[in-house]
Amino acid sequence: MISNGRARLVILISGRGSNMVSIIEAIDANQLDADIVAVISNRPDATGSVAAADRGIPTAVVDHTEYQDRDSFDRALAETVDRFNPHLVILAGFMRILTADFVNHYANKLLNIHPSLLPQFKGLNTHQRAIDAKASEHGATVHFVTAELDDGPIVLQAKVPVLADDDAQTLAKRVLIQEHQLYPNAIKKIIQERAL
Ligand code: GRF
């Protein structure tokens, strides 16, 4: 609970950050009572960090290649995240598997968006796998992160049809449009439920 009624979000990214931008835009449009207090990338070249910095949002890099192992990287990452004292930590295209220690440190505070209708298609290449499985529907899921990969309580899902002539790219594009609505909506739901 905080006094000014706005949730403090730290967003973790690895790449282009289009979901991050959708959250920024929802805040700018007053659809979300939140502030992004930092965007942290594990890759120095993440284009999403440039987009965040251009909008005046503090950015940081914790480069995983500078750490010997997953544990030491995750400890450094948690130290950086904690400096910003977030209510919620938002994984938005953050392409590192996190240790149980990290995940437990942020229990009930750590969110991820996964491009499938979980529990279907955990892991990578979800769009191609949905096509190969001849799924009629596909989509995206926002869920709390637990130590189990792409598991954890589901907050919201969005569905799209799989069309006969879809390839992984066309399907990914249709899902991504939904992701950009879904993530701000899921964060809003949690903020409202918790009265952050
Ligand atoms: C999205 O498809 C998201 O579901 C997945 O990684 C992609 C990130 O895209 N976890 P972006 O960096 O937010 O543009």
Side-chain angles (χ1 to χ4, degrees):
M1 192 72 106
I2 46 168
S3 51
N4 70 355
R6 293 177 75 80
R8 296 170 62 85
L9 312 180
V10 164
I11 303 185
L12 303 187
I13 63 167
S14 297
R16 70 186 164 186
S18 70
N19 278 287
M20 175 206 75
V21 169
S22 76
I23 297 166
I24 295 172
E25 287 177 352
I27 292 171
D28 288 349
N30 292 319
Q31 289 161 4
L32 210 48
D33 287 336
D35 294 309
I36 301 174
V37 291
V39 169
I40 302 171
S41 171
N42 67 304
R43 298 180 60 108
D45 59 351
T47 50
S49 298
V50 179
D54 283 349
R55 290 166 163 88
I57 296 168
T59 60
V61 177
V62 184
D63 182 348
H64 65 276
T65 64
E66 291 176 4
Y67 296 86
Q68 267 188 343
D69 53 29
R70 225 177 260 289
D71 280 321
S72 53
F73 168 69
D74 278 13
R75 274 198 302 276
L77 183 62
E79 271 171 31
T80 307
V81 170
D82 287 347
R83 274 200 267 128
F84 297 97
N85 198 22
H87 294 99
L88 295 172
V89 179
I90 310 292
L91 305 180
F94 185 72
M95 302 304 285
R96 301 289 302 168
I97 292 175
L98 295 160
T99 56
D101 278 353
F102 185 96
V103 170
N104 293 335
H105 182 65
Y106 298 106
N108 303 314
K109 284 183 164 188
L110 188 57
L111 287 174
N112 183 41
I113 190 160
H114 181 76
S116 79
L117 295 172
L118 289 173
Q120 295 178 77
F121 310 122
K122 297 178 179 183
L124 298 174
N125 303 321
T126 58
H127 307 302
Q128 188 59 52
R129 286 161 61 209
I131 291 169
D132 292 347
K134 304 198 185 326
S136 58
E137 283 185 322
H138 187 47
T141 303
V142 174
H143 65 99
F144 284 101
V145 178
T146 58
E148 194 87 19
L149 183 69
D150 298 329
D151 208 67
I154 290 173
V155 181
L156 281 181
Q157 291 186 309
K159 289 181 183 174
V160 302
V162 181
L163 305 181
D165 58 353
D166 265 334
D167 58 25
Q169 266 104 34
T170 57
L171 185 54
K173 212 169 158 188
R174 192 173 312 115
V175 171
L176 193 64
I177 291 168
Q178 292 301 313
E179 290 184 38
H180 294 161
Q181 306 287 322
L182 184 69
Y183 221 166
N185 286 342
I187 295 167
K188 184 175 186 168
K189 183 168 183 259
I190 294 163
I191 290 173
Q192 286 175 343
E193 282 173 5
R194 295 198 183 166
L196 282 175

